Structures are given as C-alpha cells and as structure tokens.
Amino acid sequence: MSIGERLNELLTEDKTMIPVNIGIGPEGFFNINKSVVYSWGIMLVFLILCIFLTSNMRIHNISKRQLIAETIVVKLRGLVADLLGTFGSRYTEYILTVLLYIALSNLVGVVGLVPPTMDLNVTVGLALMSIVLIEAASISKNGAGGWLKSFTKPIWIVTPMNILELAIRPLSLCMRLFGNVLGATVIMELIKMAVPMFIPALASLYFDFFDGLIQAYVFIFLTSLYIKEATE
C-alpha cells in the first residue's frame, strides 16, 4: 500500500463503532462513532480513578491516596489560577475537566487507538461549550447590558469586528485542536511506513505523548484567557 493510499484510508475510514439500525437512511441516524465510545471509556477511567483516590478521606492522618489526590488538585489549580483571574477562578473545575479529557483523549494514540479529538464533532463540541461559558461568564460579571456594551469597545466603529470575533473564536479553538491532532496522526503514519520500527516508537513519544499534552494545555490556555478578558 502506498503512502497516498494509506492516508486516504486513514482520513475516509468509517468512524462508526456501534451501528444502530434506526433513523433515516440506510446507515441509520443514531450510529455511535468510535470517538463517542472512546470518550465514554475516558470518562469511566476518570470516574474509577476519582473514586479510588477520594474514598475514605480524612482531615487528620491522611492516607497516601488522599495525599496524591490533594497534590494533583493543588497542582492543577495552580496551573490555571493566574490565567483565569480573580472572578474567573470560579470556573477552574470546568477548565481542569476539559484539560484532563483532552489530554487523555490525545494520549490514547499511544496505545494505537484513534484519538477522539481527531473527530471534528468532538472538537466543535468542546469549542462551543467553552464559548458559551465565556459569554455566560461575561454576562454574570457585567450584566446583559454590560455584555452588549462590550461589543462597542474600545470605540463603536469596531462593533462589527467584535461580533465577528465571537464567531471566529470557537472556529479557532476547534480547528487548532483538530488540525494538530490530525496532523500528528498523519505524520506518525508516514513515519511508520517510511522508516524502521524503532524510529516510529521514538517519534510516538513526541507526537502522541508530548504534543498531545501541549495541545490540551493550549486549548485551556486560550479558553482561560478569553474568560479572564470577558470578566475584567
């Protein structure tokens, strides 16, 4: 199989994992994609891990599990504290949840699975949730009148540009994440086909591991900055 054929197979493969024979059309309307199933698996892993780390928590003589859980929470909160600002700190838990989900979604490529974030539906959903939260945070801080007035700043003549930016932000968030994950996957496929086995294993440490974590941080970094800007 040539490189072009392999890339075409990768980009056009059927994303359905669980076919459901109801709905309109021969393929069914409610077919469940791989990205959904993998997302369920990621949420299940997080749920089990949280239950394990937070069971039997105490104030004194804490266990090693509780110490690990508290350390993780403190470190992660410190990671985004300065980005969100004082008022935006109330959204820390949402930001950290998105960070962990995207990070683990990107890392499943290490074990040979297709990252859920390589599905445009997933990245669009994440981007829309973030934009809705950003605008809701602005309304909560400034009121509906203050939110509408913010589109006229610094001067009224830039109002169309500010409205356009509202549409561009979710597009930028989703396409940046989707494009980088897709690009890393394509590059890994090219490396696997072009060079000996041990080199793809080394490259995977960057494209599937390091780059995946970087893209997760970039997403929440931009979201946090937008929230801070909206609530100042």
Side-chain angles (χ1 to χ4, degrees), residues 38-101:
Y38 294 158
S39 293
W40 288 344
I42 289 169
M43 289 185 288
L44 180 61
V45 169
F46 278 134
L47 178 62
I48 294 173
L49 186 60
C50 288
I51 293 174
F52 173 74
L53 291 177
T54 60
S55 60
N56 299 320
M57 298 188 74
R58 300 189 295 266
I59 297 178
H60 303 289
N61 299 319
I62 64 175
S63 64
K64 290 183 179 180
R65 285 186 302 173
Q66 183 174 339
L67 178 60
I68 292 173
E70 291 179 356
T71 301
I72 292 173
V73 170
V74 170
K75 294 295 184 182
L76 289 177
R77 284 179 173 173
L79 187 65
V80 299
D82 294 335
L83 299 176
L84 286 169
T86 303
F87 186 87
S89 61
R90 64 179 65 185
Y91 307 108
T92 297
E93 280 65 34
Y94 168 81
I95 295 296
L96 294 182
T97 300
V98 172
L99 171 64
L100 294 174
Y101 169 75

Side-chain angles (χ1 to χ4, degrees), residues 116-117 119-131 170-171 173-175 177-178 219:
T117 43
D119 186 339
L120 191 56
N121 296 306
V122 173
T123 58
V124 167
L126 290 169
L128 289 177
M129 286 194 302
S130 293
I131 293 302
L171 180 63
L173 284 173
C174 78
M175 293 308 297
L177 178 59
F178 172 75
F219 188 94

Side-chain angles (χ1 to χ4, degrees), residues 6-20 26-28 31-35 38 114 118-119 121:
R6 176 55 184 149
L7 291 180
N8 183 66
E9 179 185 342
L10 177 67
L11 297 176
T12 60
E13 67 176 351
D14 185 10
K15 296 181 174 62
T16 300
M17 189 168 189
I18 304 177
V20 181
E27 297 182 357
N31 287 344
I32 301 175
N33 288 348
K34 295 177 183 178
S35 59
Y38 294 158
V114 178
M118 209 176 83
D119 186 339
N121 296 306

Side-chain angles (χ1 to χ4, degrees), residues 139-169:
I139 295 174
S140 176
K141 176 65 166 57
N142 305 308
W147 175 69
L148 291 173
K149 188 176 180 180
S150 66
F151 290 101
T152 64
K153 294 180 179 179
I155 56 176
W156 66 269
I157 200 171
V158 300
T159 300
M161 295 298 295
N162 288 334
I163 295 175
L164 182 62
E165 183 184 12
L166 184 61
I168 291 175
R169 279 183 175 179

